[in-house]
Amino acid sequence: MDKVDLDAIKAQLGGAGGGSGANVSDKGGNAEMSKQEEQRQDMLVQILTPEAMLRLKQMAIVKQDKVRAVEDMLLRMAQMKQIRNRVTEDELKGMLMQINAEHDKETKIVYSRKVYESEDEDEYDFD
């Protein structure tokens, strides 16, 4: 991915959220949201290889929240010019594993036993 593509992405991200929501009717709001979503998808097509894009779309069927988190991460990285080439499927898998590690914390169960005074060893004197 060359510098021109990344500059175009950065320009699109900068101009995506400029309107005020108070003056927009419901129809206008929906149209603006769909336009922003379309711009977002266009940027993702520029960032991802076709295989990675396919994997992301297939995951969106099941885990929409994780896909949205990966998309946000990719767009932020593109905006900060951290992406030099198109993201491959293997790199996307690594990002998904990273997000899974952040979201899925392992639950640990600790059993604690109360000690009663009757269980005290000093009570029984066998001398």
Side-chain angles (χ1 to χ4, degrees), residues 45 48-55 86-87:
V45 167
L48 297 169
T49 62
E51 295 83 18
M53 191 69 183
L54 179 64
R55 178 171 288 274
R86 294 179 87 178
V87 177

Side-chain angles (χ1 to χ4, degrees), residues 93-110:
K93 286 179 188 178
M95 288 180 187
L96 289 168
M97 291 175 70
Q98 179 183 357
I99 288 180
N100 278 338
E102 291 173 5
H103 286 292
D104 298 335
K105 299 292 180 187
E106 191 172 318
T107 305
K108 185 176 180 181
I109 299 174
V110 178

Side-chain angles (χ1 to χ4, degrees), residues 32-49:
E32 186 176 321
M33 287 180 64
S34 66
K35 182 180 177 185
Q36 288 178 356
E37 190 62 32
E38 185 178 322
Q39 287 177 343
R40 181 183 177 94
Q41 291 302 317
D42 289 343
M43 289 182 274
L44 288 170
V45 167
Q46 292 177 357
I47 295 171
L48 297 169
T49 62

Side-chain angles (χ1 to χ4, degrees), residues 56-109:
L56 204 60
K57 286 183 180 183
Q58 288 174 344
M59 272 199 58
I61 296 169
V62 180
K63 301 281 186 177
Q64 183 64 37
D65 56 333
K66 289 185 183 180
V67 169
R68 193 68 173 190
V70 170
E71 290 175 350
D72 290 341
M73 182 190 305
L74 286 168
L75 293 173
R76 257 183 282 133
M77 289 172 67
Q79 187 177 14
M80 294 187 296
K81 298 183 181 183
Q82 293 177 346
I83 298 176
R84 300 186 198 286
N85 299 321
R86 294 179 87 178
V87 177
T88 64
E89 187 177 7
D90 291 333
E91 292 170 337
L92 184 66
K93 286 179 188 178
M95 288 180 187
L96 289 168
M97 291 175 70
Q98 179 183 357
I99 288 180
N100 278 338
E102 291 173 5
H103 286 292
D104 298 335
K105 299 292 180 187
E106 191 172 318
T107 305
K108 185 176 180 181
I109 299 174

Side-chain angles (χ1 to χ4, degrees), residues 20-35:
S20 86
N23 297 334
V24 178
S25 66
D26 287 340
K27 285 184 181 180
N30 289 339
E32 186 176 321
M33 287 180 64
S34 66
K35 182 180 177 185

Side-chain angles (χ1 to χ4, degrees), residues 107-121:
T107 305
K108 185 176 180 181
I109 299 174
V110 178
Y111 294 101
S112 62
R113 230 183 111 198
K114 291 184 178 181
V115 177
Y116 297 103
E117 290 181 29
S118 65
E119 294 178 0
D120 196 17
E121 291 180 15

